[in-house]
Amino acid sequence: RMPSLVGEIFTGILLGPNLASYVPSPISFVMLGEIGLILLVIEAGIDIDLTTLKLIGSRGMLIAIVGSVLPIAIAFVIAIALDPTNIQSAIAAGACFGPTSLGIAMNILRQAKLVNTPVGQLIVSAAVIDDMIALIILSQLGALAGDVTVASVLVPIVSALAFLGLGGYAAVFILPPILDKFFYPRFKKENNGAAGLALMFLLLFAMMPATYYAKSSFLMGAFLSGLVFCRNHDVHVRFVTQFKRLLQWLMRIFFAASIGFQVPIKDFGDAKVIGFGLLYTLALTGKLAVGFMVPNFNNCEQFKGLHMRDCLVTGFSMAAEGEFAFVIAVFAADNGLISPDLYASIVLAVLISTILPPFALRFTISHYNKLAEKMIKQAEELEKRRGMTIDAYVSMSMDALDGPVE
């Protein structure tokens, strides 16, 4: 069974401005989808398990960096091989394959109840860092399109690292004790969840503009706002209760509008566009490769059993490109860094990445779940046979004791 997001993306392609143009005011639907993405990132922050995160250590950062740099390098090499004279276009083309879609990965991991597992936390942290790297890349492309200055190069990098390091530290170690001491005691115990939820959105309205104008990712602001309350069970329960159904519908709009509307479907009739698009999908192998950097969280052999499952789940999750890939491609095309044909090829490759890896991810999770169920059944049957053997032995022993004594 294919993920529902595939149907949602194709609905956006068919009804969107590039084909039927049936949807009135497409930008409004894109905005609704972005609201859904923000709520999803907040949920990712709330769902962070600090104990599990300690097990991951710096591995999430390493996977995020390698998972961005390796696909960019592969796409850059492909672009240079196709057109050795245009270095600027090759850089822009490579940059489109760096981001990872937190929305796609979270959507499937949440359905499979893997978000709060070590591998789920690893993927979430790596995807958030990937979004920051994508914003840094986008800012550097802006420098390519205009005048290069020291500020335009350094500010996004310093800002992203500062929010990740200092902001993350404040969200985990400084703000929660202050809230426990001065904020929650002002309310009744049963109202703590509602009060914390209101404060989280006030924090969100402050953090998103702050990260945006500091040239970092506005999604980092949303993630940090949720991270402040990752230890508060009442806020977590209230958020899920209030926003679960709304979030499901907004994410459907996100996949249809934010992704589906961006696909230039009419350009896919060109054989050259299709050929180059399929060639650029090779850049996804760089994302798949980072899955094998996942540490072994299970009591099994390396790259076997559950460890292989974690490797494949991470690789397929990281390979799902998303909204930032389209944003970078649109920016590069609008600023003349890539040609319309190259833009169509890149979008085709990114579209393939939003369909095939999620399908493979769901298949992998389903396959290993079935294997686990099979092992449980075998264990139950073995235990049942063992019980029957013991009962038979006891019965024989009793019969021997009750027999005639000579």
Side-chain angles (χ1 to χ4, degrees):
R1 191 163 67 93
M2 295 188 73
S4 60
L5 64 90
V6 175
E8 292 154 8
I9 291 172
F10 275 98
T11 299
I13 294 172
L14 295 174
L15 301 180
N18 289 317
L19 194 60
S21 193
Y22 180 78
V23 179
S25 185
I27 190 67
S28 301
F29 284 87
V30 172
M31 185 174 68
L32 285 173
E34 293 300 317
I35 292 173
L37 180 63
I38 290 167
L39 289 176
L40 189 73
V41 174
I42 291 174
E43 184 182 35
I46 296 175
D47 279 340
I48 286 293
D49 186 334
L50 296 178
T51 303
T52 305
L53 208 58
K54 289 179 182 177
L55 294 175
I56 297 168
S58 59
R59 190 62 68 96
M61 175 74 78
L62 182 61
I63 286 176
I65 293 172
V66 176
S68 284
V69 173
L70 194 55
I72 290 172
I74 294 172
F76 174 80
V77 171
I78 293 171
I80 286 293
L82 295 175
D83 185 6
T85 62
N86 198 338
I87 300 295
Q88 192 179 57
S89 177
I91 294 173
C96 296
F97 294 92
T100 294
S101 176
L102 178 58
I104 293 175
M106 269 289 292
N107 199 41
I108 296 177
L109 292 175
R110 188 157 51 93
Q111 292 174 10
K113 298 180 180 179
L114 288 176
V115 174
N116 291 322
T117 63
V119 69
Q121 297 288 292
L122 179 67
I123 292 167
V124 169
S125 59
V128 169
I129 295 168
D130 254 11
D131 281 344
M132 288 174 38
I133 295 173
L135 264 292
I136 294 172
I137 291 169
L138 186 60
S139 67
Q140 303 309 308
L141 286 182
L144 278 179
D147 295 330
V148 179
T149 63
V150 175
S152 66
V153 173
L154 291 182
V155 168
I157 299 174
V158 173
S159 173
L161 293 176
F163 275 111
L164 177 64
L166 299 178
Y169 182 84
V172 172
F173 298 107
I174 297 178
L175 288 178
I178 293 175
L179 295 179
D180 290 339
K181 186 175 182 179
F182 297 106
F183 180 73
Y184 294 119
R186 296 176 179 272
F187 303 93
K188 294 181 179 179
K189 175 64 178 175
E190 59 269 21
N191 294 331
N192 279 355
L197 191 63
L199 181 63
M200 183 177 70
F201 278 99
L202 288 175
L203 188 61
L204 174 71
F205 295 145
M207 288 297 296
M208 283 184 60
T211 49
Y212 175 79
Y213 287 111
K215 306 298 182 183
S216 184
S217 169
F218 69 93
L219 292 179
M220 172 55 67
F223 180 76
L224 291 175
S225 300
L227 187 63
V228 172
F229 301 92
C230 67
R231 293 175 174 174
N232 193 308
H233 180 69
D234 294 331
V235 175
H236 183 274
V237 171
R238 185 58 67 100
F239 180 86
V240 172
T241 303
Q242 296 292 331
F243 291 100
K244 182 178 181 179
R245 184 166 297 180
L246 175 64
L247 181 58
Q248 288 176 343
W249 279 102
L250 287 177
M251 286 309 297
R252 289 168 183 164
I253 296 174
F254 166 76
F255 291 120
S258 297
I259 293 180
F261 287 1
Q262 301 286 344
V263 178
I265 189 69
K266 293 180 180 178
D267 294 337
F268 292 170
D270 189 335
K272 182 180 177 181
V273 168
I274 295 174
F276 285 1
L278 294 175
L279 195 59
Y280 275 110
T281 57
L282 293 176
L284 299 179
T285 57
K287 294 278 190 183
L288 296 173
V290 299
F292 294 94
M293 296 172 60
V294 174
N296 190 356
F297 298 116
N298 307 284
N299 188 20
C300 63
E301 292 184 43
Q302 194 87 348
F303 304 121
K304 290 184 179 180
L306 292 177
H307 183 232
M308 178 56 73
R309 181 206 65 176
D310 290 348
C311 293
L312 294 175
V313 165
T314 302
F316 291 135
S317 296
M318 296 294 289
E321 306 276 351
E323 61 287 346
F324 272 119
F326 287 105
V327 168
I328 293 173
V330 169
F331 178 86
D334 289 345
N335 286 274
L337 296 174
I338 58 176
S339 66
D341 285 348
L342 181 55
Y343 167 74
S345 297
I346 290 171
V347 169
L348 176 60
V350 173
L351 180 63
I352 290 172
S353 80
T354 63
I355 296 173
L356 294 185
F359 178 76
L361 174 59
R362 175 164 287 183
F363 175 80
T364 300
I365 293 171
S366 175
H367 173 70
Y368 278 95
N369 284 345
K370 288 178 181 177
L371 285 180
E373 291 174 1
K374 186 178 179 181
M375 290 176 65
I376 290 172
K377 287 182 179 179
Q378 288 177 346
E380 289 176 348
E381 290 177 1
L382 182 64
E383 190 66 27
K384 187 177 180 180
R385 290 175 184 172
R386 185 180 298 170
M388 292 174 63
T389 303
I390 293 174
D391 289 343
Y393 177 77
V394 171
S395 178
M396 290 173 62
S397 300
M398 294 297 294
D399 290 343
L401 291 173
D402 292 340
V405 178
E406 294 183 358

